[in-house]
Structure formats: C-alpha cells, structure tokens
Amino acid sequence: MEQPKNMTSLIMIFGATGDLAVRKLFPSLYRLFQKGKLDKFAVIGVARRPLTTEEFQNSVKDSVLTALGKKENIDEFISHFYYQSHDVADSGSYQNLKNLAQQIDDQYDLEGNRIFYLAMAPEFFGPIALHLKSDGLTDVKGYKRLVIEKPFGHDLESAKVLNTQIRQAFSESEVYRIDHYLGKEMVRNIEVIRFANAIFEPLWNNRYISNIQITSSEVLGVEERGRYYETSGALRDMVQNHIMQMVALLAMEPPIKLTTDEVRSEKVRVFRSLRMIKGETINKYFVRGQYGAGLIDEQQVPEYRAEPMVDKESNTETFVAGKIMIDNFRWAGVPFYIRTGKRMTTKSTKIVVQFKDIPMNLYYQPEKLLNPNLLVIHIQPEEGITLHLNAKKAGGHLDAQEVKLSFANTGIHAMNTPEGYEKLLYDCMRGDATNFTHWDEVAYSWAFVDNISEVWEKTKAEDYPNYESGSMGPKAADELLEKDGFFWWPVTDLDVDICK
Ligand SMILES: NC(=O)C1=CN([C@@H]2O[C@H](COP(=O)(O)OP(=O)(O)OC[C@H]3O[C@@H](n4cnc5c(N)ncnc54)[C@H](OP(=O)(O)O)[C@@H]3O)[C@@H](O)[C@H]2O)C=CC1
Ligand SMILES: O=C1O[C@H](COP(=O)(O)O)[C@@H](O)[C@H](O)[C@H]1O
C-alpha cells in the first residue's frame, strides 16, 4: 500500500451530471471536506450538456444539501468545482480539458496529482482511458489514478478487452475498480471479525462450520434501469461482483500482512479454488428467478416483464440462488449458499455462519437438536454482529434456550458511519487500493459466472415469472438447501438488537 503523504488532488469526474455523481460522489466529497480530510483539492466535472461553472456549482450545492437534509453554508466547498462540457470521442475536448486541468493545478498547487473518475456508461470506459493518454492528460509529475465504475465488462471476454484498453494508459496499480460493497462498514469488518478474534479463527474451517449463507435482498424492482438490466440480470449485476467479493473475504486465508498485494492475493487464491461448474451441472448448484406481480408495502407492483424497457418475454433473471464450493483444504465440503434478488420481502444483506452441531444434546429434550451456533454479520440496513448461543433458562432446571450476543453499529458509533463512497474516495486519494478489485479477481469471477450465464442464456426459463414480488424468491431456492439438509435462515428473524 502506498503510504498517504497528503490528500492533494485534482479530481476529474466524467459523468458529473449523472445520478451517481449527484447522489453519491458530491455528498461524499463534501463529508471528506467537512472532516478536514482533503488538503488541497479541486474538481472538474465533465459531461455532455452545456453548463457554466456557476450552474455546475449550484447543482453540486443542491446535491450536497439534499444529502445533508439541512441548510448549511457550503460556498467554500463548491468554489473548488469547475465544469467542462465534453465530447468523449473528440480529441479537441481533451485538449481543452488538459489546459483547464493545468490552470487549476497551478492555481491550487495540486502537485500534478490526478484522479480520473469514470462515472459514465461502461462503453465509454475504454475510449476515455485511451484518450486521457493520447491527449496527454496523464503526463503529470504527480500520481495518476483511474477510478472505474461497474460493470467491468459483460463477461470475461469483454472484460479482457476493456482491461487491455485501460492498461494502455494506466498500470494495474493505478486502476481503482470500484465495488461499492467493499466500502460498506461491515463488509470491511469481515476480515477484522475473523482475524482479530481468537474465538473465531480456530473454528473458521470445515471441521466446525457446516455452511455459510449470504443473502442480499432488495425490495426495489428494476426501476428505470430496464435497458441495462436486460443485458445484465442478477447474476452479472450482483453475484459476479458484490457477492463474490463477500465470499472471498469470508473464505480467504489470513494475509501475511495487511498490504494491498497480500490481501488481494489471498482473495485471488479463493477464486482459484472455486469449484467450476458447467453445463447440466449448473442446475444442481444454481437457481434463477424472475419476479411476478405482487404486494410490496401493501401496494400492487407489476411483474418484471411489465417494467419499462423490458422485453415482454424476457429471459432475464432478477433472482439468483446458488451453492458455491471452494475446493481447498479449509473449505472442502462446506457450501457457501448465496441468494440475491429484486422485489423481495425486505432490503437486507446478511451473512450467516452456521456452526456444526455438537455431538449430542445433554440439555432440555435430549432427543431434540439444540439450535446450532450462528454468527450473523449484519451488513445492511442495520450494521452489527450477533452470536447465537445456547444457555440455561433462568430459574429452570437444566433447560437450554437460545441467547443472542449482539453488537450493533447503529448505536453511538453509527452516527459517524461514513458512506461507502466516502471511504472509497478517501482510500483512492491516499493511494490504498486494498478495497478495490484487482484484475485477477475480476477475471476469475467472470470465468465462474460465465459458465452459468452461458447455460441460462441458451435455455429459456419456462416457469418465469416464478416468484411473487414481496416473497423471498422461488421455491427451488429453498429446495437447493433442503436437499443438503439445510434451510435459509430467515433474514428478518435474525435482526440485531439495536442499542440506541
Ligand atoms: N447510479 C448509481 O447508483 C450507480 C451507478 N453505477 C455506474 O456508474 C456509471 C454512471 O451511472 P449513472 O450516474 O447512473 O449514469 P447517468 O445516466 O445518470 O449519467 C451518465 C453521465 O454520463 C454523461 N454522458 C453520457 N454520454 C456522454 C458523452 N457522450 N460525453 C460526455 N458525457 C456523457 C451524462 O452527461 P449529460 O447528462 O450531460 O448527458 C451524465 O453525466 C455507470 O457505469 C453505472 O453502471 C454503479 C453503481 C451505482
Ligand atoms: O451494484 C448494484 O447494487 C445495488 C444494491 O446496492 P446496495 O448498496 O443498495 O445493496 C443494486 O440495486 C443494483 O442493481 C446494482 O447495480
């Protein structure tokens, strides 16, 4: 990891009038500014539409005040923002940008440090990176970093093409591929929970863990993103990136040191150990679903196929459940069950680590099994951990009952829990790429997911829509676990006890 010297940079945001910039990036930059984490900085917003710098500054102000939910004087902050109307395919635009960048660099003494943040549609990623080099924007005396949004390609082949393009302009260590789940507080906490607790690390293997479940459910449907989602589906949209990253963090070996290279290389070793499933076998390991109409918050919502810009006979999955096997010494035989989908019962991301049963039950009704010990990592909306144990019922004889030990981040600490994007921007500015995905991670996870999407694209799902909006997905997702003798732990019943 490059050690932070200072937080001085010129940040160019391509796509500065877009949804991501407005909802996430500007408010995150403001929070860094407010906390005094930015030394010398300026931002050039780049987009197609003609805007004056003053108009742009006003839109940044609106975005920040909306996110803050209150009035505040942020004039000093927005005075650091500049705007250029830009045609991403035109060298002339890049020449103008280069001149503007040089002028702002001199004005703010930014030491030639540049961050290029590509918050635009993915088809522009490669061409912009190439132009940045060919038009001289990357010829700087300071550092240059490229932050690139998802999706990083559509499959392994297209990801390779994109990677080749961007690597012509930036070295691997200068590329910051965003996975916003790696900015989430409790995703970052997985490593700490595992590697800083003597009570977990010795048990973190196939001798003591029976299965691990990762659920990332959403209540929202596809909304206005039908055009993109039709080419993506839940497998590419959520599994290839966010879910696979969580699997890697849960399964990796302890890194020798907490450096970027060591952490990433341990994650890559997990991806290399994935059991590659192909062809017919896919259906034994993975289940797909598409939402039908249903009730969400007592409101009737339409089926996926009736959403804007969605094919009336769409074969796109809005739900995936799967069993991932990691064929290495630590994890042989332990299923990692994953599920994610839109229009489900609740918005929740949770990890449940289910420990193996003890050999026999001495307490309560000995013929019955005790509740297994569970470690639940609550990623969102609540943040925390809960350990499910068995203990003696107060006043009873030797009857055992389930007790929960909870830690909730939503207490005092949560007041300052920073947004994922804030943390990721901060990491990028100080040159820490640990929580960004290395190309090898991207390539291995695409190779895994491509095997599944190839089969699903070739075979039409005859049973779509196969789950009701407002449910937890198709029946086949439950059967996937039932045939192994498990069941999905219901995410709503596992809520952490919030200490306010
Ligand atoms: N929105 C989100 O929450 C998330 C977005 N992402 C990713 O971030 C990226 C951006 O998404 P989002 O902000 O939603 O997209 P939007 O469609 O809201 O914004 C697109 C931006 O690109 C600009 N643009 C489009 N075409 C051109 C062009 N030819 N030349 C110059 N600028 C152009 C637009 O400028 P203008 O308005 O002037 O046309 C606008 O600023 C995508 O890759 C998306 O997958 C990832 C995770 C979450
Ligand atoms: O990357 C994406 O993530 C969101 C879910 O993110 P979360 O932080 O709200 O859990 C998902 O809605 C979107 O489809 C996907 O592109």
Side-chain angles (χ1 to χ4, degrees):
M1 184 185 87
E2 216 173 291
Q3 288 307 314
K5 293 190 190 73
N6 60 37
M7 297 287 286
T8 295
S9 194
L10 172 57
I11 305 167
M12 292 184 215
I13 300 181
F14 289 77
T17 55
D19 178 70
L20 182 72
V22 170
R23 280 193 312 112
K24 302 283 185 189
L25 303 184
F26 303 148
S28 297
L29 280 170
Y30 179 65
R31 279 189 289 267
L32 289 174
F33 173 78
Q34 209 183 15
K35 291 175 185 168
K37 287 187 172 171
L38 303 179
D39 292 334
K40 291 176 279 182
F41 82 103
V43 177
I44 304 182
V46 177
R48 220 172 2 186
R49 69 187 74 170
L51 286 180
T52 63
T53 280
E54 195 188 347
E55 286 170 323
F56 179 58
Q57 289 179 348
N58 285 332
S59 76
V60 175
K61 188 174 186 171
D62 287 347
S63 126
V64 173
L65 294 183
T66 305
L68 286 176
K70 57 177 183 185
K71 285 234 172 308
E72 205 167 293
N73 186 345
I74 63 163
D75 291 350
E76 162 62 15
F77 174 71
I78 61 164
S79 72
H80 291 248
F81 284 71
Y82 298 81
Y83 184 77
Q84 177 175 297
S85 168
H86 188 92
D87 176 352
V88 286
D90 168 40
S91 274
S93 281
Y94 291 89
Q95 288 303 327
N96 294 340
L97 189 57
K98 185 179 172 184
N99 296 337
L100 178 61
Q102 191 54 58
Q103 180 194 318
I104 292 173
D105 196 324
D106 293 343
Q107 183 182 336
Y108 287 85
D109 188 20
L110 298 176
E111 302 167 17
N113 294 333
R114 286 188 186 169
I115 292 176
F116 304 96
Y117 196 122
L118 307 192
M120 290 192 46
E123 64 264 30
F124 296 120
F125 295 163
I128 295 175
L130 292 174
H131 269 290
L132 291 174
K133 181 175 169 70
S134 61
D135 292 312
L137 277 115
T138 54
D139 300 336
V140 284
K141 65 174 178 2
Y143 65 67
K144 59 180 198 304
R145 294 178 189 143
L146 182 75
V147 184
I148 194 157
E149 267 297 338
K150 63 166 286 216
F152 196 90
H154 176 75
D155 52 18
L156 180 56
E157 273 325 294
S158 57
K160 276 184 185 165
V161 171
L162 171 58
N163 202 47
T164 306
Q165 288 175 323
I166 62 175
R167 289 295 306 278
Q168 285 174 42
F170 295 87
S171 66
E172 176 63 32
S173 63
E174 293 169 333
V175 180
Y176 289 67
R177 297 178 193 83
I178 290 248
D179 182 314
H180 79 276
Y181 268 57
L182 297 182
K184 290 188 192 288
E185 191 62 26
M186 289 307 295
V187 173
R188 291 189 174 200
N189 218 332
I190 295 172
E191 276 181 70
V192 186
I193 293 166
R194 286 191 53 195
F195 302 134
N197 288 298
I199 58 166
F200 293 132
E201 190 42 33
L203 307 182
W204 210 262
N205 54 52
N206 51 10
R207 271 173 293 153
Y208 298 101
I209 291 178
S210 75
N211 73 90
I212 296 185
Q213 304 181 9
I214 304 174
T215 298
S216 192
S217 57
E218 293 188 75
V219 175
L220 290 178
V222 70
E223 312 242 276
E224 305 307 315
R225 296 169 71 215
R227 192 193 307 277
Y228 152 74
Y229 203 81
E230 276 287 270
T231 63
S232 156
L235 190 64
R236 291 188 174 99
D237 189 47
M238 291 292 292
V239 178
Q240 184 271 338
N241 35 68
H242 313 318
I243 302 273
M244 295 304 283
Q245 284 295 321
M246 287 190 277
V247 169
L249 289 168
L250 287 162
M252 72 188 207
E253 294 300 314
I256 303 167
K257 281 184 274 171
L258 285 178
T259 57
T260 305
D261 287 349
E262 295 296 347
V263 173
R264 285 169 153 190
S265 96
E266 292 305 340
K267 283 161 72 189
V268 168
R269 277 154 53 93
V270 173
F271 290 128
R272 285 172 50 207
S273 319
L274 290 173
R275 184 179 300 171
M276 293 302 251
I277 41 166
K278 288 187 178 169
E280 290 292 292
T281 329
I282 300 284
N283 296 327
K284 292 201 178 114
Y285 285 80
F286 273 81
V287 167
R288 56 179 161 166
Q290 188 187 80
Y291 61 82
L295 281 182
I296 300 263
D297 289 336
E298 293 170 27
Q299 301 285 316
Q300 186 67 28
V301 294
E303 61 174 0
Y304 174 69
R305 290 176 177 182
E307 300 277 19
M309 288 173 289
V310 168
D311 185 338
K312 300 287 166 253
E313 292 181 13
S314 175
N315 197 37
T316 301
E317 78 287 349
T318 60
F319 174 96
V320 174
K323 171 163 102 171
I324 294 175
M325 299 303 292
I326 299 168
D327 290 332
N328 64 16
F329 212 78
R330 186 186 282 264
W331 293 114
V334 179
F336 284 65
Y337 297 111
I338 58 113
R339 63 178 165 168
T340 181
K342 295 205 181 277
R343 285 283 189 234
M344 294 173 67
T345 321
T346 184
K347 169 79 182 165
S348 174
T349 305
K350 276 192 179 52
I351 296 166
V352 181
V353 179
Q354 179 176 341
F355 291 88
K356 285 189 172 165
D357 292 330
I358 49 167
M360 66 178 278
N361 177 10
L362 292 172
Y363 302 100
Y364 189 47
Q365 295 162 313
E367 72 284 3
K368 289 199 175 164
L369 288 177
L370 282 170
N371 292 310
N373 293 138
L374 304 178
L375 172 68
V376 184
I377 305 177
H378 307 264
I379 308 285
Q380 62 183 12
E382 73 276 22
E383 297 179 347
I385 48 176
T386 309
L387 188 57
H388 293 233
L389 304 169
N390 293 299
K392 189 174 103 44
K393 241 184 216 168
H397 176 49
L398 278 177
D399 294 352
Q401 68 173 3
E402 191 192 48
V403 295
K404 292 191 215 169
L405 299 181
S406 288
F407 162 73
N409 240 2
T410 18
I412 296 163
H413 304 295
M415 303 296 289
N416 294 318
T417 300
E419 250 288 342
Y421 275 94
E422 177 187 335
K423 281 185 271 173
L424 293 167
L425 278 165
Y426 181 64
D427 285 352
C428 175
M429 290 186 81
R430 63 196 185 98
D432 182 354
T434 314
N435 287 303
F436 295 80
T437 46
H438 187 276
W439 162 245
D440 292 344
E441 297 171 60
V442 174
Y444 278 111
S445 55
W446 271 127
F448 180 76
V449 156
D450 280 356
N451 286 336
I452 305 165
S453 47
E454 269 163 29
V455 171
W456 282 356
E457 275 160 18
K458 269 194 254 153
T459 46
K460 192 152 174 68
E462 301 296 345
D463 60 343
Y464 279 177
N466 59 357
Y467 71 99
E468 229 179 274
S469 281
S471 71
M472 281 309 278
K475 204 164 161 284
D478 297 332
E479 290 163 358
L480 183 73
L481 274 69
E482 278 161 21
K483 66 184 185 215
D484 292 344
F486 300 123
F487 57 86
W488 290 107
W489 289 96
V491 288
T492 41
D493 292 356
L494 293 173
D495 279 353
V496 69
D497 300 324
I498 310 287
C499 38
K500 289 222 167 88

